[in-house]
Amino acid sequence: QVQLVESGGGLVQPGGSLRLSCAASGFTVDDYAIGWFRQVPGKEREGLSFISGRGRDDSTNYADSVKGRFTISRDKAKKMVYLQMTNLKPEDTATYYCARAWARHWYGSLAEERYGYWGQGTQVTVSW
């Protein structure tokens, strides 16, 4: 019954912005770490950001490749997690996924093996 559905991807010019959304169902969003990942065909999935699964602790973390440009946030009432992406670069082109951790109230990390539920992905293309 756990489901995650990403949306908000599309084509954007370098330097532009997009906000990705992750609609969650089947669990309480604040109880689990939720991460954002991306993948280019033929390459390994890259962890980008997570927001803590420890109750009302909204601590976040970011990969060096996106730190200062991307911001993760959560809306418990709407059961949504967002990834605000700014100053996008061509190398940000990828399929973006949100994922929920296996373990309830685990703090979080960028290690994909710690996440057990994944959305279908949304494509982001950064190009002129």
Side-chain angles (χ1 to χ4, degrees), residues 53-120:
R54 291 186 176 174
R56 298 196 304 272
D57 182 2
D58 289 329
S59 295
T60 60
N61 205 352
Y62 300 89
D64 288 343
S65 59
V66 305
K67 195 168 189 175
R69 299 190 296 123
F70 291 11
T71 303
I72 191 171
S73 61
R74 174 169 55 202
D75 187 324
K76 181 180 179 179
K78 294 181 179 179
K79 305 198 70 164
M80 298 286 285
V81 178
Y82 305 99
L83 186 68
Q84 179 67 50
M85 307 186 295
T86 63
N87 192 24
L88 285 162
K89 307 174 185 299
E91 50 264 44
D92 294 319
T93 296
T95 301
Y96 284 69
Y97 300 88
C98 63
R100 196 210 79 177
W102 289 110
R104 190 182 184 197
H105 293 162
W106 173 61
Y107 179 79
S109 82
L110 297 178
E112 63 177 296
E113 64 267 22
R114 297 280 196 164
Y115 296 83
Y117 296 91
W118 296 78
Q120 85 289 349

